[in-house]
Amino acid sequence: MGEARTAYTNKEMLQWTAYFSDYMNTSPEKIKLVNICGKEKNVIPTIETHKRVMIFVDQSHENIFYELWEKGLGDYDVWFAQGLMPNDNIKKAKVVDFVNLKISVPSVFFVFNENTRESYRIGMKNEFFSKGTVKYVGNEIRAVIMSILGVDSHDTIAIVSGETIVIESAIIASEGNIIAVEPNQQDLRTMEENISKFGLHNVTVIPDLSDESLEKIETPRLSFIVATKYLEKDIERLLKKNPKMQFVIYTLELDVLSGIKQIFEKFNIQDMEVTQITISKTDKNSVFVTQPSPWLISGEVK
């Protein structure tokens, strides 16, 4: 006897899409489709950045409604149905009303919130992140960093000691994978809190850049590194994983900046570009206060 079927076929998903488009009197192109049958995907960030989301789910996510409610989405409107093919047995309620429902068979539900802003959350304010041991950079600086990184939806990126960059990159690279390298145990706990808080399932956490750790990960296109005294060794190890790696280095230290050109030349990292970011904001007394001004150094192996 064969294994029980748990996933929707393309044809079935298209039929459900057409059905809900008619049912909701909306165009199919306005609906974001997410299939999480037997998969881990960033459902919560997707719902928070799209007005209309249709989710295909099976018993591998039996507590999906509880998870949505726990993350603060309890007031979102939901249309829920069971089955592989469209049918008229649709129940409409709020997420909170389904909180005790356990998914036991293939099901589909449509989430709608007309107040959702359909945009990437680049440069999120620091108050959205969990408080902990990490000293976060200003959100304006993070927005510039994200612009330089140029993350796309299917990207694989290694981020060394850049906790909030991990979160923002993982939200954008919804079909990709973010490799978070964090040797500091206290900072690691804070980052894991943020990964859970934002409902992210595409972050792979490793403690270091040892051969053993690098063997377990996908090959990243790009590495973002918060520079330490181990920068040269970090670059050398990452180039073993991807000899054509692109790099973006973050530092506040002039002596680190002055040594990067030599490191880049040693490893044939070309097209070096240096950007300094300076942000000044008024305080409660209307006095301009300058934030720490980091350098961002980028380059790639041709």
Side-chain angles (χ1 to χ4, degrees):
M1 188 173 183
E3 293 183 0
R5 179 180 172 182
T6 59
Y8 287 86
T9 65
N10 290 340
K11 181 178 180 180
E12 290 160 352
M13 287 192 288
L14 289 173
Q15 288 176 325
W16 269 114
T17 302
Y19 180 86
F20 266 108
S21 295
D22 292 338
Y23 190 88
M24 304 297 295
N25 192 28
T26 191
S27 171
E29 66 191 30
K30 294 183 178 180
I31 301 174
K32 174 68 174 178
L33 303 184
V34 182
N35 179 13
I36 61 172
C37 295
K39 306 173 184 177
E40 294 290 350
K41 290 196 172 184
N42 295 343
V43 174
I44 292 163
T46 301
I47 292 174
E48 290 180 333
T49 53
H50 294 81
K51 294 182 186 295
R52 304 168 185 85
V53 182
M54 189 160 64
I55 300 170
F56 297 90
V57 63
D58 62 8
Q59 60 268 29
S60 64
H61 294 275
E62 64 174 3
N63 295 313
I64 183 65
F65 287 115
Y66 177 82
E67 293 171 12
L68 297 181
W69 168 79
E70 187 180 38
K71 299 301 181 184
L73 306 184
D75 289 333
Y76 281 43
D77 291 322
V78 172
W79 287 259
F80 174 80
Q82 295 178 324
L84 296 172
M85 300 296 293
N87 57 74
D88 294 327
N89 297 320
I90 296 179
K91 301 176 183 177
K92 183 203 181 265
K94 298 288 187 182
V95 168
V96 67
D97 298 317
F98 290 105
V99 72
N100 293 318
L101 174 68
K102 290 187 179 295
I103 305 297
S104 58
V105 298
S107 304
V108 58
F109 63 96
F110 187 100
V111 184
F112 178 71
N113 182 15
E114 61 181 351
N115 296 320
T116 296
R117 291 189 60 201
E118 296 189 314
S119 62
Y120 285 129
R121 296 186 293 181
I122 294 178
M124 289 184 289
K125 293 188 179 297
N126 288 342
E127 54 260 35
F128 291 126
F129 296 97
S130 296
K131 305 298 181 184
T133 57
V134 180
K135 184 175 177 60
Y136 299 134
V137 300
N139 64 292
E140 299 90 352
I141 293 174
R142 198 178 321 111
V144 175
I145 294 172
M146 295 305 300
S147 176
I148 292 174
L149 293 180
V151 182
D152 70 37
S153 61
H154 289 77
D155 240 335
T156 299
I157 296 177
I159 298 175
V160 182
S161 299
E163 289 75 13
T164 54
I165 303 301
V166 167
I167 302 304
E168 294 212 27
S169 297
I171 291 173
I172 297 173
S174 57
E175 301 295 328
N177 186 30
I178 304 303
I179 299 144
V181 186
E182 185 48 74
N184 183 292
Q185 288 300 308
Q186 290 181 316
D187 292 350
L188 174 62
R189 283 193 289 271
T190 301
M191 184 172 65
E192 289 176 334
E193 287 178 13
N194 281 315
I195 291 170
S196 175
K197 179 177 181 178
F198 286 92
L200 302 173
H201 294 283
N202 59 335
V203 179
T204 301
V205 181
I206 58 176
D208 51 42
L209 292 172
S210 65
D211 291 342
E212 182 181 1
S213 295
L214 290 174
E215 284 178 1
K216 302 174 183 177
I217 65 170
E218 298 178 42
T219 301
R221 169 187 70 86
L222 168 72
S223 292
F224 174 81
I225 305 174
V226 177
T228 67
K229 62 182 180 181
Y230 304 109
L231 176 62
E232 182 175 342
K233 193 65 177 177
D234 289 346
I235 290 175
E236 182 179 15
R237 287 171 169 169
L238 286 164
L239 284 171
K240 288 182 180 179
K241 188 69 177 179
N242 179 7
K244 299 294 185 181
M245 182 79 73
Q246 300 174 40
F247 292 94
V248 176
I249 314 298
Y250 172 102
T251 185
L252 289 166
E253 301 176 34
L254 182 59
D255 59 339
V256 173
L257 173 67
S258 62
I260 287 179
K261 187 174 188 296
Q262 182 180 357
I263 295 173
F264 275 20
E265 288 176 348
K266 178 179 179 179
F267 295 108
N268 195 32
I269 300 171
Q270 303 175 30
D271 297 340
M272 178 175 168
E273 184 174 279
V274 181
T275 303
Q276 186 175 36
I277 310 169
T278 302
I279 301 291
S280 297
K281 300 178 73 171
T282 54
D283 62 14
K284 61 182 179 181
N285 297 316
S286 298
V287 175
F288 273 102
V289 177
T290 301
Q291 299 181 24
S293 301
W295 288 282
L296 298 172
I297 307 95
S298 60
E300 61 181 300
V301 179
K302 295 292 186 178

